[in-house]
Amino acid sequence: MDEFSLINRFFKQAVREADLGVGDDAALIRVTEGHQLAISTDMLLEGRHFFSDVDPYTLGHKVLAVNLSDMAAMGARPRFATLAIGLPKADIAWLKAFSLGFFELAERYNVELIGGDTTRSAEHTFSVTIMGEVPHGQALRRDGAKAGDNIWVSGHIGTAALALLGLKRPGSFSDEIMESIRSALETPIPQIELGLGLRSLASACMDISDGLIGDLPHILQASGGGAVICWEMIPCHSALKAWLDGDKEASKRHALQALLAGGDDYQLLFTAPPECDEQIRSLSETLGVTLTFIGKIRAAPGVFVISNDGSLLEPHYLPNSGFNHFADIK
Ligand code: ADP
Ligand code: MG
């Protein structure tokens, strides 16, 4: 199968809202009056972001999901995407499953695939550029957090990291637990509706992709100030909670690592003034998304992780930072 029949068979769809989609040298789109275009790109590479033998359906989902998560974090409504793929070979069954995973999620959020690029490469490589819209001036940026603001997270934190640990060390969890945690890693659901609902509430927002403790400083760098968070208030899966509360020292350490520094959760981390607490709780109810208060923004710099009794978490439990691809480059 040549490149063009591959594109036509698996990635070309009827044009919907774009003026021009797949098939020309570039796509043409219109931005809604009074809105800003939010644009973001994320790559997923074999060996680094996914295992070589990963289910292609879940991979198609995840390639788009991680990009949609950036739209959620900006409070943008996703609209268009481009998809660049590098493939070692044209495997029909693989491409079928991959494109199904991609388009099912795209349908769900009304995202139109308007172009991309397809090349042969030694390993599977994916890059999605996502485009969304947000009313002028209403985007959820990282630079608006103020001292005294409350810090919130959506959903559960650390589940994807726990699932990764379970895949790397088979036998760590029962099949039943594994079944309930692996979707967090393989088919994360981007918090699009939450992002839209937070437009008028959050002072700063980002999605957690590299771990809570690694990502929170990005808000602090942009906004100024520091933060105190209580690790015992961070919401997590019952399997993670069991390790945190258990008396096995090694399990507790793994659990804290997953909770504070585990990547790939794609939940939203946001700040808001305490006056917004009630509205945030009612948004949580309306959307059926757990939103949990975990700490506060302070004027003084630094991130402090405390326990329920107010004591600092012992330093040997504290991960140095979240996952950082260039941590070893000084
Ligand atoms: P060009 O030679 O101008 O780079 P290509 O031959 O790479 O164009 O692509 C032909 C058309 O197919 C373009 O409209 C491009 O956007 C689209 N396209 C290529 N690969 C993909 C893909 N993986 N998904 C969606 N559209 C794609
Ligand atoms: Mg091309």
Side-chain angles (χ1 to χ4, degrees):
M1 187 167 29
D2 72 13
E3 178 193 336
F4 301 103
S5 38
L6 187 156
I7 295 164
N8 284 332
R9 175 154 175 201
F10 296 107
F11 298 109
K12 185 169 175 148
Q13 290 201 313
V15 172
R16 289 188 303 208
E17 290 170 17
D19 288 338
L20 189 61
V22 171
D24 212 308
D25 294 306
L28 298 171
I29 55 173
R30 265 162 299 140
V31 182
T32 309
E33 180 92 33
H35 287 62
Q36 287 168 298
L37 200 55
I39 306 175
S40 172
T41 300
D42 256 330
M43 295 177 76
L44 259 69
L45 306 180
E46 182 174 335
R48 179 166 287 274
H49 301 103
F50 58 90
F51 296 119
S52 309
D53 60 351
V54 72
D55 171 1
Y57 173 86
T58 67
L59 187 59
H61 173 107
K62 187 159 178 176
V63 163
L64 182 58
V66 302
N67 279 275
L68 285 172
S69 180
D70 286 317
M71 293 292 102
M74 293 303 287
R77 183 182 297 286
R79 293 203 58 196
F80 304 105
T82 62
L83 168 67
I85 58 183
L87 300 170
K89 60 177 191 293
D91 178 335
I92 306 284
W94 197 98
L95 279 160
K96 230 181 189 163
F98 176 88
S99 55
L100 184 67
F102 185 94
F103 282 116
E104 274 187 12
L105 188 64
E107 288 294 321
R108 181 165 166 176
Y109 292 103
N110 210 16
V111 170
E112 188 173 348
L113 183 66
I114 55 168
D117 203 15
T118 305
T119 66
R120 196 178 286 277
S121 69
E123 296 185 319
H124 290 96
T125 309
F126 305 94
S127 174
V128 168
T129 294
I130 189 98
M131 285 150 266
E133 289 183 339
V134 58
H136 218 284
Q138 288 186 29
L140 301 174
R141 300 161 48 135
R142 296 180 178 184
D143 59 3
K146 301 262 179 327
D149 281 358
N150 288 335
I151 303 174
W152 297 78
V153 289
S154 66
H156 281 172
I157 304 298
T159 320
L162 205 64
L164 183 62
L165 196 145
L167 289 181
K168 282 183 174 165
R169 300 186 197 180
S172 299
F173 304 106
S174 67
D175 291 352
E176 196 189 343
I177 290 179
M178 208 50 217
E179 196 58 43
S180 80
I181 61 177
R182 70 183 297 163
S183 61
L185 178 68
E186 294 182 337
T187 49
I189 302 298
Q191 294 288 349
I192 297 295
E193 294 85 359
L194 176 59
L196 299 179
L198 286 174
R199 271 179 191 166
S200 49
L201 295 172
S203 52
C205 183
M206 69 180 299
D207 65 326
I208 308 175
S209 54
D210 291 340
L212 187 53
I213 271 304
D215 281 333
L216 177 58
H218 294 306
I219 286 183
L220 302 175
Q221 271 150 22
S223 300
V228 55
I229 59 169
C230 174
W231 69 269
E232 290 181 277
M233 291 163 79
I234 303 171
C236 64
H237 189 277
S238 54
L240 188 58
K241 185 93 174 72
W243 278 14
L244 285 173
D245 294 344
D247 41 35
K248 270 202 201 135
E249 193 55 26
S251 298
K252 185 169 181 179
R253 214 179 285 244
H254 281 306
L256 273 165
Q257 184 74 32
L259 192 70
L260 295 172
D264 258 9
D265 277 317
Y266 303 103
Q267 295 296 339
L268 296 187
L269 170 66
F270 62 96
T271 61
E275 303 89 85
C276 293
D277 281 5
E278 213 161 297
Q279 281 168 281
I280 290 171
R281 295 215 164 85
S282 90
L283 179 66
S284 160
E285 235 162 78
T286 311
L287 298 177
V289 174
T290 313
L291 299 178
T292 310
F293 163 73
I294 61 161
K296 289 198 86 80
I297 299 291
R298 299 160 20 118
V303 177
F304 297 91
V305 182
I306 60 170
S307 305
N308 273 340
D309 65 7
S311 63
L312 281 177
L313 179 65
E314 294 94 317
H316 65 275
Y317 284 129
L318 208 57
N320 288 333
S321 69
F323 182 68
N324 181 338
H325 291 276
F326 297 109
D328 47 349
I329 297 178
K330 289 272 146 55

